[in-house]
């Protein structure tokens, strides 16, 4: 992987790379279809929705050209929310997820936000393990509308806001 491939870059709302990110997300999330209920919100995601995310204060960061990883970041009141994190099959196991999470922590510190948060589905136990290794802990369970059982977990990781980080 080249140095350029190791550094996340910000996708702008009018960048054609949004189409590449959407294709990566759909391919990367496809395995969930047979495992989670309700279905993933990825099925409703569009380039227009991604543009609105970027124009509304959110960010989409990518790695590689051609693109092989991406993550959505959304500032909240006290945290930076990580969503739609994807790494292309065949590129997994190389520390790319960790690079994106570390980048998100840096962005959170830049924004003076004290934590990272993300949600993962209850059924996706491999995601629980990955994010646990990256310093996240489960802080609550939630349910999608119409479900009387937990369908997702909220995970949180503190961010070091000191100037020494």
């Amino acid at each position: 992987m080249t140095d350029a491939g190791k550094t996340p870059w910000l996708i702008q709302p009018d960048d054609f790379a949004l189409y590449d990110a959407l294709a990566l997300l759909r391919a990367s999330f496809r395995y969930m279809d047979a495992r989670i209920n309700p279905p993933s919100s990825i099925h409703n995601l569009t380039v227009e929705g991604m543009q609105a995310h970027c124009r509304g204060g959110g960010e989409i960061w990518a790695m590689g050209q051609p693109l092989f990883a991406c993550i959505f970041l959304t500032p909240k009141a006290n945290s930076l929310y990580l969503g739609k994190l994807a790494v292309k099959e065949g590129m997994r196991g190389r520390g790319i997820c960790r690079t994106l999470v570390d980048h998100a922590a840096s962005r959170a510190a830049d924004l003076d936000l004290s934590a990272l948060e993300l949600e993962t589905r209850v059924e996706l136990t491999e995601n629980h393990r990955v994010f646990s290794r990256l310093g996240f802990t489960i802080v609550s369970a939630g349910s999608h509308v119409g479900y009387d059982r937990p369908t997702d977990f909220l995970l949180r990781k503190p961010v070091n806001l000191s100037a020494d980080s």
Side-chain angles (χ1 to χ4, degrees):
M1 188 175 0
T2 66
D3 284 346
K6 294 179 184 178
T7 305
W9 52 274
L10 182 63
I11 300 178
Q12 298 300 320
D14 59 349
D15 194 326
F16 190 79
L18 289 175
Y19 291 91
D20 297 332
L22 182 58
L24 170 67
L25 287 162
R26 287 184 176 158
S28 296
F29 281 47
R30 191 171 294 124
Y31 81 98
M32 294 180 200
D33 287 344
R35 296 184 56 199
I36 64 172
N37 185 21
S40 172
S41 63
I42 197 72
H43 298 291
N44 301 320
L45 187 62
T46 64
V47 167
E48 293 78 14
M50 295 166 74
Q51 290 170 325
H53 173 79
C54 295
R55 291 185 178 121
E59 300 173 343
I60 302 174
W61 290 84
M63 291 179 67
Q65 293 186 2
L67 191 146
F68 57 77
C70 67
I71 189 171
F72 286 41
L73 302 179
T74 308
K76 302 289 185 182
N78 297 311
S79 64
L80 186 61
Y81 183 82
L82 285 59
K84 306 290 189 258
L85 191 159
V87 177
K88 183 177 181 178
E89 191 171 352
M91 297 294 289
R92 297 176 187 152
R94 299 181 187 193
I96 296 166
C97 179
R98 179 177 299 278
T99 297
L100 288 171
V101 170
D102 288 349
H103 180 73
S106 176
R107 291 293 300 134
D110 291 346
L111 297 168
D112 203 29
L113 298 170
S114 62
L116 299 177
E117 289 186 341
L118 61 86
E119 291 176 321
T120 185
R121 293 301 186 91
V122 169
E123 300 93 339
L124 303 178
T125 56
E126 66 278 16
N127 287 357
H128 309 166
R129 287 189 297 274
V130 166
F131 290 115
S132 175
R133 285 193 303 268
L134 294 173
F136 288 85
T137 56
I138 295 173
V139 294
S140 66
S143 298
H144 287 77
V145 174
Y147 288 77
D148 61 358
R149 62 168 174 80
T151 56
D152 58 65
F153 291 125
L154 178 66
L155 286 73
R156 189 172 177 90
K157 174 182 178 167
V159 172
N160 185 351
L161 297 177
S162 75
D164 299 331
S165 59

